[in-house]
Amino acid sequence: AQAVSPPPAGCRSGSVEVPRSVTAVLGQDVVLPCGYRAQEGEKVVQVTWLKLGAAGPAEVAVLNPEHGEHVKEAYAGRVLRRAPGALDDGAIVLKN
């Protein structure tokens, strides 16, 4: 998750909360958690999911309440947002 506007100088920013690892079972859905603990006055405006590979990072999905949710074609139908609402919960579900 990323906050688009950095906090003013001297202010603390929130923190991204993700588990160190996630265990998945082949053929089953898995939740990839991503939470943001915002400080007062902060609001998450976009969450971007990237897959790290040998060729570098590749975009998987972008969650943006103003512009909608965009999932790259290679992941269409396999990546869904876990819960509607505020982007403090930017978790996705990776199907199968």
Side-chain angles (χ1 to χ4, degrees), residues 42-60:
E42 283 187 313
K43 178 181 176 185
V44 180
V45 296
Q46 180 169 297
V47 174
T48 302
W49 279 91
L50 303 171
K51 179 180 179 182
L52 301 179
E59 187 177 286
V60 173

Side-chain angles (χ1 to χ4, degrees), residues 4-31:
V4 171
S5 299
C11 290
R12 290 179 31 187
S13 63
S15 59
V16 175
E17 298 175 342
V18 294
R20 185 173 180 95
S21 65
V22 174
T23 301
V25 176
L26 185 63
Q28 294 187 8
D29 297 352
V30 64
V31 173

Side-chain angles (χ1 to χ4, degrees), residues 2 45-50 59-65 67-72 79 81 87 92:
Q2 67 183 30
V45 296
Q46 180 169 297
V47 174
T48 302
W49 279 91
L50 303 171
E59 187 177 286
V60 173
V62 176
L63 312 177
N64 184 304
H67 302 290
E69 299 172 12
H70 175 73
V71 176
K72 285 293 190 179
V79 172
R81 185 161 177 216
L87 285 177
I92 57 173

